[in-house]
Structures are given as structure tokens and as C-alpha cells.
Amino acid sequence: MDKPDILIFFSDQHHARYAGYAGHGGVCTPNLDRIASGGAAFSAAYTACPLCVPARSAFLTGQLPSHTGIYTNQGCIPGDRATFLHSLAAGGYETVLCGRMHFRGADQRHGFTRRIMDDITAINPGRGIKLADADVFGRTFGMGGCVDLVGGGRSPVLAYDEAVIRAALDYLARPHERPQCIVVGTYAPHFPYVAPAELYRDYRERVELPASWRAEKNYRHPVFDSKRQRRRRSVAHGREEPVTDEVALGGRAAYYGMITRLDEQIGAVRQAWADYLQ
């Protein structure tokens, strides 16, 4: 029996309902819509954990965080823990990682036989971006400063994802003897909330705030009102200022714009994949 080639595309912090095929009327995702119409879309699927590293570790190992022991973004898969990539590699596959996977620790493979593009964060032996060297964008990668810069233009995230896609397209343009399992990982639409200028302008003209924005918020709840949480907010933000309507609208427009740019990149990779399989 022939071993089928496999392509997996991972985005980061992309809400499941923010796509045309999922019923969202505000964001344009024609490539995702075409893929969904010609395949299967999971409309009631849940992540194993709403944090990056635990969720990715669960996906790779097929085990919940309660079994991996990874509950935070500081955790890492033990070196002796098998992933589905180990099984594919043992079966003769070339298992290729291109871009974002948020591995922690010295082991940056976990079953991948080849890595053709480094991660964006400086947690690996490669060329990850050190946030301290990201100039004004450094503080925007965390919750505390994620809305400090909102708008259209260029960002380290957009530049990184472009490099990831170029590496994927270059790899797919060449023949490969072994069956392939290729995982392409982008960082967008994760903040900072900066989208390509033309997409940002387009969405900013028509984006609206959700009804929940006007809903009363219970900041007196113990989760928000504890001394520890207040101290954390103060340290993270350096100030206690509410997010204005203008900033919220800008962040929403930028998020939509990043999703549309991601959709364009998915379309490019999907076409290269189709050409590779011919």
C-alpha cells in the first residue's frame, strides 16, 4: 500500500469561528472556504488546552495535559515521550517542520527528521527572535502590551511568516524520494495587532465592535480583583488604562487583516502542495 503524503498547516491564536466557512460574515477567507467545501470541517472540536505549548504537546503526543504533565507554556515534552512523528519516521516518512511549533528545551525535533525553518521565539538553538531585540515590538508579544501598537504596516510576525511560507514553497518545489509529512507553522494571527496596510485600511472602514463590548463586566470577581492579579496587571502594563473603542476597533481590524493574509498564504501552500503531488 502506498504511503500518502501529508501536509499539516498550523496557525497560532486563530479563533475557530473567524473564517467564512465557519459562518463569520466579517472576515474574508476564500482559500479556507474552498478547502472546507471540498473536505471535512470540524464544527464542534475543542483544543486540549487553551495555551500554546500544552495544546501543541497534546496534538503531537495524542495525550491530554493530564497525561503529558504540560500545563503551561514553560513546559516541554520529555525526550523519551513518543509523538506521532516518531511513528511516521519509523514507517519511512520524512517528517519536516517548517516554522512555528513552540518547542521548549534542548530537543527541538521530537520526531521531526528535518527542520527547514526556525521558530520565531528564541527558545531553540536556532535563530529565534529575541524580544529584547524586537525594538518597539518587543512588549507587544505579551498580554501586557499586546494593544500598545495597533494598525497597518510591517511587524516581526508578518516578516517571520513570509519567511516560513517561502521556505515551505521552496521545499515543495523540489522532488523528494521519501513520503512526506510536512508541518507548516505560522505565528499569525497572534498579536501584535499589525496587519498589512492595505488589509488594515479595508477592514478598519467596516469593522464593528461586538455586542459583548458594551456588556457590563464584573471586575469585582475575585479572579480579577485579587491583590495578586492587580499587581500583575500593574507590572505588565505599567499603568491602569482601559482599552478605548478606537484601539479595540483597530485591534479587530488588524486581526481580520492578519487572518486574510494567512488565508492567502494557505492558498499559496495549498497550490504548491497540489503541484508537488502531480
Side-chain angles (χ1 to χ4, degrees), residues 15-17 21 41-49:
H15 194 294
R17 298 189 186 281
Y21 74 87
F42 296 89
S43 60
Y46 291 82
T47 180
C49 183

Side-chain angles (χ1 to χ4, degrees), residues 62-192:
Q63 296 181 321
L64 293 170
S66 56
H67 287 83
T68 64
I70 302 171
Y71 295 97
T72 72
N73 282 344
Q74 284 66 52
C76 62
I77 301 174
D80 60 353
R81 183 68 59 87
T83 69
F84 76 88
L85 298 153
H86 286 104
S87 299
L88 288 176
Y93 275 80
E94 185 84 61
T95 52
V96 183
L97 176 57
C98 180
R100 178 70 167 165
M101 187 49 72
H102 207 169
F103 284 145
R104 303 303 300 254
D107 188 349
Q108 291 293 307
R109 293 294 184 87
H110 294 293
F112 285 103
T113 58
R114 180 180 295 189
R115 185 163 196 170
I116 61 175
M117 180 65 191
D118 296 320
D119 213 316
I120 187 172
T121 43
I123 54 177
N124 62 321
R127 300 183 297 276
I129 294 175
K130 295 181 180 179
L131 300 187
D133 298 332
D135 196 29
V136 294
F137 286 97
R139 66 183 184 273
T140 65
F141 282 80
M143 290 288 291
C146 65
V147 294
D148 285 358
L149 290 174
V150 172
R154 297 287 295 167
S155 77
V157 169
L158 297 178
Y160 171 76
D161 285 352
E162 289 169 3
V164 169
I165 300 305
R166 283 196 302 270
L169 297 180
D170 180 66
Y171 186 81
L172 288 170
R174 303 191 303 272
H176 303 284
E177 294 183 1
R178 298 168 61 184
Q180 299 290 307
C181 175
I182 305 171
V183 179
V184 180
T186 62
Y187 197 70
H190 193 290
F191 46 71

